[in-house]
Amino acid sequence: MSFPIFNTAPGKARRALSSWAALPQAVIAIFLVLLLTGCSNNPNPAPLHSTRPDGSPWVVTYRALGEDPRSLDPQFSYDTLSNVVISQVYESLLQYNLFKTDPYELEPGLAESMPRRIQNPDGTEAYEVRLKRGIRFHDSPAFPGGKGRELTSADFVYTFQRIADPKVECPVLSTLQEFIVGLAPAYKEAVKTEKFDYSKPTGAITVIDSHTFRINLIKPYPQLLYWLAMPFTAPVAHEAVKYYDGKEGREQFKFSPVGTGPFRMAEWDRGRLIRLERNPHYITTRFPEGGWPAEEDARFRPLAGAALPFIDEVQMAIIREAVPRWLMFRQGYLDRSGVSKDNFNSVVTSGMTLSKQFEERGVQLYRDVEPTTAYLSFNMDDPVVGKNQKLRQALSMAYDAQRANEIFSNGVDLKAEQLLPPGVVGYDPNFKNPFRVFNLDKAKELLAEAGYPGGIDPKTGKPLQLTLDVVGGSSAGRQRAEFDQKQIEQLGIQCKIEENTWARFQDRQNRGLFQMNTGSGWHADFPDAENFFFLFYSKNIPPEGNNSSRFSNPEFDRLFEKMSTMENGPERLAIIRKMDHILVEQCPIIFDSHQVVFSLSQPWLPRVSDNSMLSGGGMKYVQLDPVLREKKQEEWNQSPMWPTWTLLGIVLGTIGYVTAWAKKHNA
């Protein structure tokens, strides 16, 4: 706040000061008190509106992102941060059920019903999809008159063409082209001609009518349904791409999303703010009619079948540093927050409950197991660790995952006994991995059976030397590397740490230029066993895929190929168990943990779902109480009055001096 500076001639200055002096000091005092106490420290921009067209309050939720998204093109983006925004603006044919997480379950999104698996006249399989009617793209200058048109089957022809267009650089083309007709030939032809021909059908989609089409398969692939719930297959309007990418000086399409989702892009001020506005034409989904936990019945039953979204505006402040994000949450200016390692002890008690300080505020703490598995990898092509199963088993038993959890994750992560995480069909909560029991004596016995008694290499008479690749560059990463090093060296083995940049780590992993590495793991693209076991399928050894441990086992491959085309059921579950057993015995990795994430919600924003597959938390379902938020913000941000009164005293003293000076010189 600033006051006017008098830049006037001496005579004018004298008259100006006299006019101030003529004002009653009580009036000035009241004005200054109101001015000083009326200042707000709320850093959030004003909402787009104060009321809805019907006169009801305009409701805003305030969130934060650590940085700007790289791109909001759904066929290109493959990072969590970008998907937080994309999933609000774009929709896919299928979506995850809000309340079913054990296991996760799909339900119709843009599709009228679940896709129907059929057989084409040529004997190949396809999925037939019928779209809901009346769904429109967001209003945008890309369309005639700025009005979004209805979504049709033709939009999916175009979307799957974009997946195959080399210029789009769709990161999942390598997977989808193996199962969907025409993607691979279309991609190769475009590379050859250096231009994708959008007038030529790829054969991936057969249009039946304006709202019905088929996705044609090369071979059976039940997991395609999961891909139909991901942004990569979200429909894109060709008019939007042409409008934004077709003229220099105009914002690019990747920064100007035009979808069918519950929110539309209203503003993107780079490095500062992303603002989404409620889509007034949204009809795709309503609040579920049931399925919520019994204890939440009183809360959710009144919402059953209600139109979505409940929120009118989503503000996402771009705040790169963790400290200001945390301070804004504490002041009530952000509605949700994560719990970092730095503030964990001030938020969570030793009993893993919310601390009294935040409990008294009405803040709510949530604990969720992410669909992830972290592990240390062996290079199975390495002549030492890759060819000695007993050695790998010994190193696994010597690794104290619980201790690592306590040091680096505040003891909250779930110990991994198997590859599949909770929520994925095939995960067995009762399974105990015999080589994940921390037992140093047994590990030393296995080490002796491996040919290295006491850790000594019989060829040299000296301790066996192993190399552990890590990602360097941070003190936390270095501490973890040193911990892992000590776990290995307690067997009498010498371990050298090889620090890498992330890019070099990835390159060495892909080229097989490592012996062991730490920091590996997988977060589910979709919650199915195939999406984890493919990491150990021999045909996915780099550069063909993500089998960076270079594990190759004929029986595992045979089971994988059979399992990957089966629907879930007892037979598939039995195969999953066998594949688990092979990985446990062969030990190409040391299982570490399934990540547990703590999050906080303000008292005015109770969480709706614990579904980790809902990118961005499913903001269309969110409800909040803006009246309670305003009340709490005032309560939590009351400034002490003594600085105000001190400043007021100084100002009044100055006014008194000026008054006396003016009277003296006007006499």
Side-chain angles (χ1 to χ4, degrees):
M1 302 181 69
S2 59
F3 292 93
I5 297 176
F6 293 97
N7 185 18
T8 58
K12 291 183 179 179
R14 193 175 293 119
R15 287 193 297 275
L17 289 169
S18 297
S19 64
W20 268 83
L23 286 173
Q25 291 193 27
V27 173
I28 297 174
I30 292 170
F31 169 75
L32 289 173
V33 168
L34 291 173
L35 191 64
L36 291 168
T37 58
C39 296
S40 170
N41 62 345
N42 188 340
N44 291 314
L48 291 170
H49 307 283
S50 58
T51 60
R52 297 171 177 170
D54 63 3
S56 59
W58 182 267
V59 182
V60 185
T61 183
Y62 299 97
R63 309 294 177 94
L65 297 176
E67 58 184 291
D68 285 294
R70 289 179 57 204
S71 167
L72 297 182
D73 183 337
Q75 274 78 63
F76 170 79
S77 294
Y78 202 8
D79 64 278
T80 302
L81 187 145
S82 298
N83 280 346
V84 168
V85 183
I86 287 173
S87 60
Q88 317 310 324
V89 178
Y90 289 96
E91 294 179 297
S92 299
L93 289 166
L94 303 179
Q95 62 185 15
Y96 286 93
N97 185 288
L98 188 61
F99 298 114
K100 295 182 179 179
T101 59
D102 190 19
Y104 297 97
E105 187 174 303
L106 293 171
E107 64 181 17
L110 295 171
E112 189 175 78
S113 58
M114 293 298 291
R116 188 165 61 97
R117 194 171 176 176
I118 65 169
Q119 194 170 54
N120 286 318
D122 63 1
T124 59
E125 284 195 0
Y127 279 100
E128 188 167 281
V129 181
R130 179 171 289 277
L131 296 173
K132 293 172 181 173
R133 292 184 177 271
I135 295 173
R136 291 170 47 182
F137 283 103
H138 299 155
D139 290 345
S140 164
F143 301 111
K147 299 295 182 182
R149 61 165 175 81
E150 187 174 6
L151 174 72
T152 68
S153 298
D155 293 307
F156 287 90
V157 175
Y158 178 69
T159 295
F160 276 77
Q161 286 177 316
R162 292 194 83 233
I163 290 173
D165 187 343
K167 290 184 178 179
V168 175
E169 297 181 340
C170 181
V172 300
L173 171 65
S174 59
T175 298
L176 295 182
Q177 69 182 0
E178 185 180 345
F179 301 99
I180 298 178
V181 170
L183 296 185
Y187 174 83
K188 291 176 182 177
E189 179 65 20
V191 170
K192 181 180 177 181
T193 62
E194 298 184 352
K195 185 177 181 180
F196 194 93
D197 186 358
Y198 280 91
S199 67
K200 184 178 179 181
T202 63
I205 303 292
T206 299
V207 174
I208 307 301
D209 59 41
S210 64
H211 287 73
T212 310
F213 61 91
R214 291 176 183 171
I215 305 173
N216 299 309
L217 302 181
I218 298 169
K219 55 186 177 181
Y221 188 49
Q223 288 74 31
L224 178 65
L225 297 182
Y226 291 109
W227 291 104
L228 300 184
M230 297 177 73
F232 303 113
T233 58
V236 166
H238 67 89
E239 297 97 328
V241 177
K242 182 179 179 181
Y243 179 83
Y244 287 108
D245 283 349
K247 183 178 179 180
E248 289 187 17
R250 184 177 287 156
E251 188 73 280
Q252 292 177 285
F253 173 70
K254 67 180 181 179
F255 300 127
S256 308
V258 180
T260 64
F263 298 96
R264 58 175 291 275
M265 179 65 74
E267 178 186 1
W268 188 353
D269 184 356
R270 303 288 191 281
R272 176 176 168 270
L273 177 71
I274 290 178
R275 193 196 300 258
L276 306 179
E277 183 179 10
R278 185 177 186 270
N279 174 11
H281 308 298
Y282 185 74
I283 62 169
T284 305
T285 307
R286 287 181 170 267
F287 197 85
E289 298 280 356
W292 49 75
E295 61 272 18
E296 295 278 22
D297 189 71
R299 176 185 169 200
F300 291 135
R301 187 161 298 282
L303 304 179
L308 299 173
F310 297 122
I311 302 295
D312 299 295
E313 183 178 332
V314 179
Q315 289 194 19
M316 300 182 187
I318 312 300
I319 308 173
R320 290 182 170 82
E321 299 298 327
V323 172
R325 289 200 300 270
W326 176 240
L327 290 177
M328 282 183 66
F329 177 80
R330 289 192 57 136
Q331 291 176 291
Y333 298 131
L334 290 178
D335 295 333
R336 294 193 64 188
S337 173
V339 181
S340 71
K341 192 175 187 298
D342 292 335
N343 59 36
F344 187 89
N345 290 331
S346 67
V347 175
V348 183
T349 68
S350 58
M352 299 301 158
T353 59
L354 189 64
S355 67
K356 185 177 180 181
Q357 172 191 3
F358 287 93
E359 185 179 1
E360 289 175 346
R361 282 184 161 216
V363 171
Q364 298 174 64
L365 174 70
Y366 301 103
R367 177 185 181 276
D368 300 299
V369 182
E370 293 286 287
T372 62
T373 303
Y375 47 79
L376 289 78
S377 289
F378 295 107
N379 181 354
M380 298 298 283
D381 284 345
D382 182 78
V384 179
V385 298
K387 307 306 177 185
N388 195 323
Q389 180 176 326
K390 294 282 188 181
L391 173 59
R392 297 193 301 274
Q393 291 173 346
L395 290 167
S396 180
M397 291 198 77
Y399 190 85
D400 191 346
Q402 183 56 40
R403 182 62 179 153
N405 184 12
E406 292 169 357
I407 295 174
F408 302 106
S409 301
N410 298 103
V412 304
D413 286 346
L414 186 65
K415 181 182 176 184
E417 305 277 354
Q418 58 204 290
L419 182 63
L420 302 182
V424 176
V425 173
Y427 170 75
D428 183 357
N430 300 313
F431 177 75
K432 297 299 179 185
N433 186 331
F435 303 109
R436 286 308 300 119
V437 178
F438 176 63
N439 188 327
L440 203 54
D441 291 335
K442 179 62 177 176
K444 290 178 179 179
E445 290 178 16
L446 287 168
L447 188 62
E449 294 174 20
Y452 301 99
I456 301 300
D457 186 344
K459 295 179 181 178
T460 63
K462 298 179 180 179
L464 174 66
Q465 295 193 7
L466 300 178
T467 301
L468 180 69
D469 272 59
V470 303
V471 177
S474 71
S475 59
R478 181 65 187 178
Q479 289 171 8
R480 183 59 187 257
E482 290 174 352
F483 175 87
D484 294 343
Q485 180 187 42
K486 290 177 181 178
Q487 299 298 292
I488 295 169
E489 291 186 337
Q490 63 187 337
L491 289 174
I493 297 170
Q494 287 187 352
C495 179
K496 174 189 173 185
I497 294 176
E498 182 72 33
E499 289 198 20
N500 305 272
T501 62
W502 173 246
R504 184 170 182 265
F505 180 88
Q506 291 286 91
D507 180 65
R508 284 174 62 81
Q509 186 169 250
N510 290 336
R511 294 167 62 192
L513 302 178
F514 72 99
Q515 191 171 44
M516 298 176 62
N517 68 34
T518 186
S520 298
W522 191 254
H523 186 289
D525 291 314
F526 50 84
D528 186 82
E530 187 264 356
N531 191 239
F532 284 85
F533 284 129
F534 89 110
L535 297 167
F536 301 94
Y537 181 48
S538 66
K539 292 184 180 179
N540 284 332
I541 291 174
E544 304 303 323
N546 292 71
N547 182 356
S548 56
S549 68
R550 288 168 156 70
F551 180 72
S552 180
N553 181 285
E555 177 63 6
F556 185 91
D557 286 352
R558 184 187 69 80
L559 292 171
F560 176 82
E561 289 168 358
K562 185 176 181 180
M563 179 274 300
S564 64
T565 60
M566 296 173 68
E567 303 281 357
N568 281 325
E571 185 180 359
R572 190 174 194 245
L573 184 59
I575 292 175
I576 289 172
R577 296 279 189 264
K578 290 179 182 178
M579 297 174 74
D580 262 333
H581 179 76
I582 291 172
L583 289 180
V584 166
E585 288 293 324
Q586 293 292 314
C587 205
I589 59 176
I590 297 176
F591 294 105
D592 185 3
S593 62
H594 306 300
Q595 185 182 16
V596 174
V597 175
F598 281 83
S599 59
L600 301 169
S601 281
Q602 300 284 19
W604 54 83
L605 188 84
R607 191 172 69 169
V608 178
S609 171
D610 64 352
N611 193 326
S612 298
M613 300 306 296
L614 295 175
S615 295
M619 290 188 196
K620 64 185 176 184
Y621 301 108
V622 167
Q623 271 195 321
L624 64 81
D625 183 346
V627 175
L628 178 60
R629 177 171 59 195
E630 186 175 354
K631 177 183 176 183
K632 290 293 185 182
Q633 285 176 347
E634 291 179 1
E635 178 184 325
W636 296 346
N637 292 280
Q638 289 182 357
S639 301
M641 290 302 295
W642 67 263
T644 301
W645 292 114
T646 301
L647 180 60
L648 181 60
I650 294 172
V651 171
L652 289 177
T654 303
I655 291 173
Y657 174 81
V658 169
T659 301
W661 183 88
K663 287 180 178 179
K664 179 180 178 181
H665 287 78
N666 285 332

